Amino acid sequence: MSRGTALPRLTSLRLFAAAVVVVFHLDQWGIASLPASLSTLGFIGVSFFFVLSGFVLAWGTDPALPARRFYRHRFARVWPSHAVMVGVAALVPVVAVARSWEIAVPNLFLVQSWWTDPEVVFGMNGVAWSLSCELFFYAMFPLTVYVLRRVPGVVQWALPLVALVVAGYVGLQDAGLGEHLPVLRFSEFLLGVVAGLALREGWRPRVHPLVAAVAVVAGLAICYRAPFPLPNVIMPVPFLLVLLSAAARDLDGRGGWLRSRALIFAGEASFALYLVHELVIINLAPRLWEIGPQWVMALIIAATACVCAVVLHLVVERPFNKLLRGRSRSVALAPPVELTHDDGAELTGAGDPHAREGDRV
């Protein structure tokens, strides 16, 4: 399989990252929790998404894709569903933190994570703060690739590692900024970009799934005792090992349960699940307190969130993505088959691609 080939296992893995964030919020809102308070670490699912985003964009980018088309594709992929959920947040009885016109405007334009006021950062649909970070990552991606391709490999790898250390230090001084400030969270995305570019250029590390699993467990054990937000700088390397292991198996053409159509569809809908789940939790939970055990509440809420996510995915995300992208399709929404260059289409099974250098990347 050649570079730019779809990596369907990475699409499936998105589901598990979204699921741990859902578990985290079920715990935070007092619905249900895992033993030993493990669910309190669920926020690291966002870190997985950041590393994954950089990895698949770097791997799947067609160097001939014009920058303007890349940015249009990014807009088509993210903003329609986000805008719908801002509208939902304006109408539902309860939101996580706060809502007002002053909060809605920066939220709608995905710049809220640059604020220091938590009511702005986490206002309206609170989980959208991470999309604000992603918007910054997308804006920086062409320049990032341009610079990385012009420095030695050792410098490429040093940059994200140093950035992670800086992010951890700043986070210890101000946990709020360490959590949501885009320029600090960029280190996780950058690590994924460096690895994705290396893979695209022929690097083929062999990471056994067991090694990746042990690295994740070891990282979680450290995070269990680490102060917030240090887990966000501890887990990116173990997460990268997971991505490299899964990508290698896809590139080798191996089958497996992570390539099942059901999981790939669930992975495609994971963005929608991430967007809807917290509003579902806080608006549905008050109506369920009398029905019985909390685990039953959690199952009902999770099932409702999944149904809402599928609706958002099929009614908003897919149609508007197709409409706004024009002729080129999103591989993030494509079936698990090998893809080839098609009118500058983006070529990855877990995210979207891009380009530029002057006008190309």
Side-chain angles (χ1 to χ4, degrees), residues 131-299:
L131 303 188
S132 179
C133 292
E134 287 279 5
L135 182 67
F136 172 70
F137 302 163
Y138 300 153
M140 293 298 297
F141 180 80
L143 177 61
T144 300
V145 172
Y146 181 87
V147 171
L148 289 175
R149 284 178 170 165
R150 285 157 178 78
V151 298
V154 65
V155 176
Q156 291 183 17
W157 285 102
L159 288 173
L161 297 179
V162 171
L164 285 168
V165 172
V166 172
Y169 175 79
V170 175
L172 288 176
Q173 313 308 311
D174 189 322
L177 291 181
E179 178 184 13
H180 66 76
L181 191 66
V183 72
L184 294 178
R185 300 306 299 264
F186 181 73
S187 57
E188 298 149 75
F189 177 81
L190 180 59
L191 180 65
V193 171
V194 170
L197 287 178
L199 200 72
R200 187 177 179 87
E201 295 304 317
W203 182 50
R204 293 294 182 268
R206 295 296 171 181
V207 181
H208 193 280
L210 182 59
V211 172
V214 169
V216 169
V217 171
L220 290 174
I222 297 171
C223 291
Y224 194 69
R225 298 293 183 182
F228 181 81
L230 281 189
N232 292 329
V233 302
I234 293 171
M235 291 307 298
V237 171
F239 286 156
L240 180 60
L241 294 179
V242 172
L243 298 181
L244 290 172
S245 177
R249 296 176 76 83
D250 277 334
L251 291 171
D252 288 342
R254 299 187 189 183
W257 61 280
L258 282 176
R259 291 177 65 96
S260 72
R261 289 187 177 274
L263 268 182
I264 290 172
F265 175 79
E268 292 172 352
S270 63
F271 175 58
L273 177 62
Y274 178 80
L275 287 180
V276 306
H277 79 274
E278 189 173 30
L279 288 178
V280 170
I281 291 172
I282 59 181
N283 284 279
L284 189 56
R287 293 160 174 77
L288 298 177
W289 286 117
E290 305 300 326
I291 70 168
Q294 287 184 301
W295 67 267
V296 175
M297 287 180 57
L299 288 178

